[in-house]
Structure formats: structure tokens, C-alpha cells
Amino acid sequence: TGEQFEKISYAWNSLGLRGPEPNYSANKKIIFGGGSLSLGCGVKLEDSFPFIVAKKFNASYLNFSPADCFTDLIDILIEYKSFSPDYIVLSDTRFIQSYGWGLREIYKIRRLEEEKGYRKYFTRADIDCLKMFDYFLKGLFPNTKLILAYCERRAWKSIVPELNNIQKIAFEAKETVVDLARDGFHPGEKSHAIMADKI
């Protein structure tokens, strides 16, 4: 189109994470964990919803993104337990459990997704895993407010259950994704601003 766009660059802090250096002594601290959305693919760091939310609360933060599934976050959350966040914000990942990649390939080959039995059992397994993750987080961070901010799209084929410890915030695609990032695929800076406001 001939439009000139400012170049998007990705910089990593000393921990290998996108975002500023964490301050363990900050009055407010947040952990973000999720996929390419919470990494802020295609937008400047300052326009990503983790940065906007942290700035609003004058908080230090760690951004454990991107992760393909929630089970990818377990070890790193344990490793950084001493950060003692006030909030944990989990956002959309491709899968809840790591077997999702293998299952995706099986679906392509055998079309098992069309079989109601398989869909039922794997959906049940995802629901149970998310419930266990709910209590895992509360056990690891007993004084932390837990938030699941998820997109209503293909990555969430299974039902997101009511959770005892985690507050759910659904990003309805039509209301939340109002523009695209420079890559033409991920949500853009206006969408990130809306997401930050919802959180």
C-alpha cells in the first residue's frame, strides 16, 4: 500500500524475557504467561497489553511468553516463585496440555476430531487439567489474584470451566480485535489497549 510503518524490534531483558528488568522490591508485581498474544507479536513493547497493564499499576512484571500450552508454564512459574506477584494474568495459548501438538497431527491424518468419543475424552482431559492448574497456582502463589484472559477462538475448542481461584475474562473477538498488528495476523495496538482495559 506504500504506507511507511515504524520498525518493530524485539529486545530481551537479562532473563531472556520481553520487557523491562524486573524489580523484586516493587510495591506491585505482575506475572504474565501466555502465547504470542501476550508476547506482543507485531506491536511495540509499549503497545502490548502486559506493558500497558503494568504501567497503569506502576508495577514491575515478568512476561513468560510465548508458551504453546499452559503446561509449558509450570516449571518457569516454580522457578520464579520468589518474585511473589500480586497478580498473575494468563492469556491465550494454542493448547492447555502439551499433547495438543500430537493430537493436531493425528486429527489431520485420521480426522479423529469428527469422532464424538475422542472429542469428549480430550475435552474432559483439558477441563480437568485446567482445574488442576487452578489449584496449582493457588498453592504456589496463595496471596496472588489469578486472572485467565482468553480469546474465544479456535485455540479454546474445549470448554473453559468455572474455576475456584482464577477469575475468567473472555476477549470476545468481534469486540476486542479491532485492528491487526504489523504482521497482519496478531491483534494490533488498538486491540491491545482494549484488552488492557478489560484486565
Side-chain angles (χ1 to χ4, degrees):
T1 62
E3 291 181 81
Q4 295 297 312
F5 291 112
E6 185 178 348
K7 185 178 179 182
I8 299 295
S9 62
Y10 297 89
W12 316 101
N13 63 24
S14 63
L15 302 175
L17 306 173
R18 192 178 191 205
E21 291 296 323
N23 176 5
Y24 278 67
S25 301
N27 288 329
K28 291 285 183 189
K29 290 173 285 185
I30 306 172
I31 284 178
F32 294 92
S36 55
L37 173 64
S38 57
L39 181 68
C41 282
V43 299
K44 294 185 293 184
L45 174 67
E46 296 79 10
D47 292 326
S48 66
F49 79 77
F51 187 92
I52 297 168
V53 171
K55 185 176 180 182
K56 174 75 175 177
F57 287 100
N58 192 26
S60 179
Y61 74 94
L62 294 171
N63 189 350
F64 301 140
S65 304
D68 282 325
C69 55
F70 281 138
T71 50
D72 286 344
L73 296 170
I74 290 173
D75 287 340
I76 197 166
L77 288 168
I78 294 170
E79 182 179 350
Y80 288 96
K81 179 183 178 182
S82 63
F83 188 65
S84 299
D86 298 280
Y87 303 92
I88 291 179
V89 180
L90 301 171
S91 67
D92 201 18
T93 55
R94 291 181 186 271
F95 308 106
I96 293 174
Q97 303 184 59
S98 55
Y99 68 59
W101 281 110
L103 193 60
R104 183 169 171 257
E105 294 307 310
I106 292 172
Y107 282 168
K108 286 182 186 175
I109 298 167
R110 298 278 305 278
R111 300 184 183 276
L112 292 181
E113 196 169 13
E114 296 170 12
E115 298 291 331
K116 291 181 181 178
Y118 283 94
R119 190 168 11 179
K120 172 186 172 184
Y121 292 124
F122 282 111
T123 297
R124 183 74 253 167
D126 278 349
I127 291 171
D128 289 344
C129 180
L130 202 51
K131 285 179 179 177
M132 285 190 286
F133 199 73
D134 177 24
Y135 281 97
F136 158 77
L137 286 171
K138 201 59 183 175
L140 198 61
F141 303 106
N143 301 313
T144 299
K145 183 164 179 120
L146 308 172
I147 298 167
L148 174 61
Y150 64 99
C151 295
E152 295 281 12
R153 64 177 181 83
R154 61 180 172 80
W156 290 96
K157 286 184 179 179
S158 65
I159 298 162
V160 180
E162 289 304 319
L163 301 164
N164 289 308
N165 304 307
I166 303 178
Q167 178 183 346
K168 296 194 303 181
I169 300 174
F171 291 155
E172 301 288 348
K174 290 181 181 178
E175 299 171 3
T176 307
V177 182
V178 297
D179 65 341
L180 292 178
R182 306 292 166 80
D183 59 11
F185 180 75
H186 291 91
E189 57 189 57
K190 292 178 184 176
S191 301
H192 274 265
I194 292 171
M195 293 174 191
D197 189 56
K198 283 179 175 283
I199 293 170

